[in-house]
Amino acid sequence: IGASHYVNFSGAAFYCEGNFITPLGVAKVNIPLARQIIRDNPTLFVSNGDVHSPEHSIEVQIPFLQYLYKDDLQIIPILLGTQKPVTIRKIADALQPYFNGSNLFIFSTDFSHYPNYTDACKVDAITADAILTNSSEAFLKAIESNDSKGIPNLATSICGWTGVLTML
């Protein structure tokens, strides 16, 4: 699961148009399961390869998974287009049945963007500590607090905050 950096849209977009190809080979997309999840939640999820095309947040994770899982790997790439916590909550609820011992969820994100090193370390520690509380409220409050501090060049505390919020 990654955040869309290029296109805002309601809900989440699954990639169901084929497999991912990386320098390590083909990463199989579990198209039947992805389409089933979309059918079960048509107001939240769509199949849209166009929003995946320019995106990097998911594709950078796949070679690591290919290295670990070899041919046993099947993925379902999901991009979050929403910035609304209420919609993110609905997405999390829809995906909750799949949070089990049979599936591995990876939520792709960077932490702070563009502050100086000292400020980045401080902001990143605050954000990481908030994630470790396992509280969506504490996480959102930490992001808001970081944003209100007037830290020079801080564009974001965490670019994939929607994915992390989905996880929490």
Side-chain angles (χ1 to χ4, degrees):
I1 295 179
S4 175
H5 289 80
Y6 300 100
V7 181
N8 288 332
F9 52 92
S10 181
F14 284 55
Y15 184 83
C16 303
E17 298 178 15
N19 298 317
F20 270 45
I21 300 171
T22 77
L24 297 181
V26 175
K28 296 175 191 160
V29 174
N30 189 333
I31 294 170
L33 180 56
R35 287 184 176 156
Q36 181 61 52
I37 296 169
I38 294 167
R39 275 192 302 273
D40 291 345
N41 303 279
T43 61
L44 292 174
F45 303 135
V46 296
S47 173
N48 187 335
D50 290 341
V51 299
H52 283 266
S53 182
E55 189 53 57
H56 64 278
S57 65
I58 292 174
E59 72 180 28
V60 297
Q61 307 298 333
I62 294 173
F64 296 103
L65 296 169
Q66 288 175 297
Y67 178 80
L68 288 172
Y69 294 102
K70 312 288 187 250
D71 291 334
D72 292 333
L73 178 65
Q74 286 192 57
I75 61 173
I76 298 179
I78 304 170
L79 281 178
L80 301 171
T82 184
Q83 302 286 305
K84 296 179 180 178
V86 67
T87 304
I88 293 167
R89 176 58 184 218
K90 290 176 185 176
I91 290 169
D93 289 343
L95 294 175
Q96 195 278 329
Y98 303 95
F99 284 89
N100 59 49
S102 298
N103 300 308
L104 172 65
F105 277 77
I106 295 174
F107 299 88
S108 180
T109 190
D110 299 344
F111 275 63
S112 62
H113 282 32
Y114 316 124
N116 68 44
Y117 179 76
T118 302
D119 287 337
C121 290
K122 290 176 187 175
V123 168
D124 292 352
I126 290 166
T127 305
D129 288 345
I131 293 168
L132 292 174
T133 67
N134 200 29
S135 164
S136 56
E137 293 82 12
F139 174 65
L140 290 171
K141 188 178 281 190
I143 293 171
E144 185 178 318
S145 174
N146 286 340
D147 288 346
S148 71
K149 291 178 181 174
I151 297 168
N153 300 318
L154 180 66
T156 183
S157 296
I158 184 167
C159 70
W161 71 271
T162 56
V164 175
L165 186 60
T166 302
M167 175 188 67
L168 294 172

